[in-house]
Amino acid sequence: MPPGDAGLTVGLFGGSFNPPHDGHFHVALTALRRLGLHRIWWLVTPGNPLKDHSELEALEARVAAVRRLADHPRFTVTAFEATEGLSYSADTIAFLKRRRPGVRFVWVMGADNLAGFHRWQFWRQIVETLPIAIVDRPGASLSPLSAPMAEVYRHARVAEEEAGDFACRPAPAWTFLHAPLNPLSSTLLRQHGPMRQDA
């Protein structure tokens, strides 16, 4: 698990990254810059419990691919969830809060994940534990208006122009960050083969 001193602000960007691509880099960099975070930790998961694993590359291969993509001095790539036996994001967050109590964490995800966020294990616990930053993705711009999470926590939405100190805000708090859209997706890459992944 990455080190974390007290006062550090860290965006947690989790996913199977099967494979990682420029769209992922775009989400991470947008969150880093717009939220004024010190670091982004890329959490390469053993596999999404809600997805089919039949086409899932080995964890070691995905970690290596993410490290090649996430070539930035303030990005850290880790797969500690596998070694700690953590399967669900809520458990990962609880573990990190215990092990790194002085770090201020923000959950970072692309907007394409928002529509199904209410199907995540203990999703309300996640929202009530740390701020959530949602970065716009192609085809997902209307999600904040219609997703169950957004409806339930409408009162907790923070305007993006007020999100510069987002890591210091008490949960529940979520913000939607608009940014130039990158159309790449892992599904597209698996269907059509490798595409340019430098950033």
Side-chain angles (χ1 to χ4, degrees):
M1 187 171 60
D5 297 329
L8 194 72
T9 57
V10 174
L12 301 174
F13 185 34
S16 55
F17 302 113
N18 188 47
H21 53 74
D22 281 355
H24 293 133
F25 191 95
H26 165 79
V27 169
L29 192 62
T30 297
L32 180 74
R33 291 175 172 172
R34 298 279 298 279
L35 303 178
L37 301 173
H38 294 127
R39 307 283 299 181
I40 296 287
W41 291 359
W42 295 60
L43 310 180
V44 186
T45 68
N48 186 332
L50 298 177
K51 292 184 178 180
D52 179 16
H53 291 187
S54 62
E55 296 184 358
L56 190 65
E57 292 288 336
L59 179 63
E60 295 79 7
R62 289 183 284 121
V63 168
V66 173
R67 284 180 174 150
R68 288 192 297 271
L69 175 72
D71 184 14
H72 189 286
R74 289 160 66 187
F75 288 168
T76 300
V77 179
T78 178
F80 74 85
E81 289 171 299
T83 57
E84 298 292 341
L86 301 167
S87 299
Y88 297 104
S89 298
D91 294 334
T92 297
I93 292 165
F95 177 84
L96 285 171
K97 297 283 280 187
R98 290 194 304 271
R99 294 290 297 272
R100 298 289 184 264
V103 176
R104 294 183 180 274
F105 292 109
V106 173
W107 190 258
V108 176
M109 65 182 181
D112 46 333
N113 287 313
L114 183 57
F117 184 75
H118 63 288
R119 292 194 291 270
W120 292 22
Q121 186 88 342
F122 305 121
W123 69 275
R124 290 174 184 263
Q125 179 181 317
I126 296 172
V127 181
E128 299 283 346
T129 301
L130 79 176
I132 297 176
I134 300 146
V135 180
D136 203 2
R137 292 283 289 137
S141 297
L142 295 179
S143 294
L145 303 177
S146 58
M149 188 280 273
E151 290 289 344
V152 172
Y153 289 95
R154 183 176 297 277
H155 64 284
R157 183 174 181 180
V158 176
E160 59 184 306
E161 60 269 19
E162 299 175 4
D165 62 344
F166 197 60
C168 298
R169 290 180 177 265
W174 65 278
T175 191
F176 188 84
L177 303 177
H178 293 87
L181 300 182
N182 187 307
L184 287 185
S185 73
S186 294
T187 300
L188 182 68
L189 290 178
R190 288 196 300 272
Q191 290 174 346
H192 299 287
M195 298 176 68
R196 190 185 70 82
Q197 294 185 13
D198 60 326

